[in-house]
């Protein structure tokens, strides 16, 4: 069992930055691949980024490549999403998710989800 808690969301101006964190419970965090997804009002949940258990492999959606970076600190049981050059289209609730095998963009393959954190990009 894994519990995930996101933090770091908020209101930011276009062009600004935020860093989201997802803290996980449990002693086997490094055995889970982790993902970030987002859901804007009226839209389906969309893949943002994923990272393997060791952190050696990362994946980013085309819409965020070059602006967002996923990383993890297994000693702290935490995964991060550094978001730079934010745009209004990035406004959404951001969720982290965990899977016991390597999963990238398929949300249905993730087993555990956090409650989400709101990110609003607006002037």
């Amino acid at each position: 069992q894994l519990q995930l808690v996101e933090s770091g969301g908020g209101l930011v101006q276009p062009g600004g930055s935020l860093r989201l964190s997802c803290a996980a419970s449990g002693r086997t965090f490094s055995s889970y691949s982790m993902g970030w997804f987002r859901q804007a009002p009226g839209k389906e949940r969309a893949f943002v980024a994923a990272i393997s258990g060791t952190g050696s492999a990362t994946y980013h959606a085309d819409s965020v490549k070059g602006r967002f970076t996923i990383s993890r600190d297994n000693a702290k049981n935490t995964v991060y999403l550094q978001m730079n050059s934010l745009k209004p289209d990035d406004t959404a609730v951001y969720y982290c998710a965990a899977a016991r095998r390597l999963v990238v963009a398929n949300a249905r393959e993730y087993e555990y989800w956090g409650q989400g954190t709101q990110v609003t990009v607006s002037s």
Side-chain angles (χ1 to χ4, degrees), residues 26-92:
R27 293 176 291 177
T28 58
F29 177 69
S30 62
S31 65
Y32 289 84
S33 64
M34 301 294 295
W36 284 99
F37 289 77
R38 65 187 180 185
Q39 188 165 19
K43 295 187 177 181
E44 294 186 354
R45 192 168 297 190
F47 169 72
V48 176
I51 188 167
S52 62
T54 61
S56 60
T58 61
Y59 310 86
H60 297 82
D62 287 344
S63 59
V64 306
K65 276 181 183 176
R67 300 189 299 123
F68 292 10
T69 302
I70 190 171
S71 63
R72 67 191 296 161
D73 185 339
N74 286 341
K76 295 183 178 180
N77 279 18
T78 302
V79 62
Y80 304 98
L81 185 68
Q82 178 66 45
M83 306 187 296
N84 299 329
S85 302
L86 282 160
K87 306 174 183 179
D89 283 350
D90 296 318
T91 295

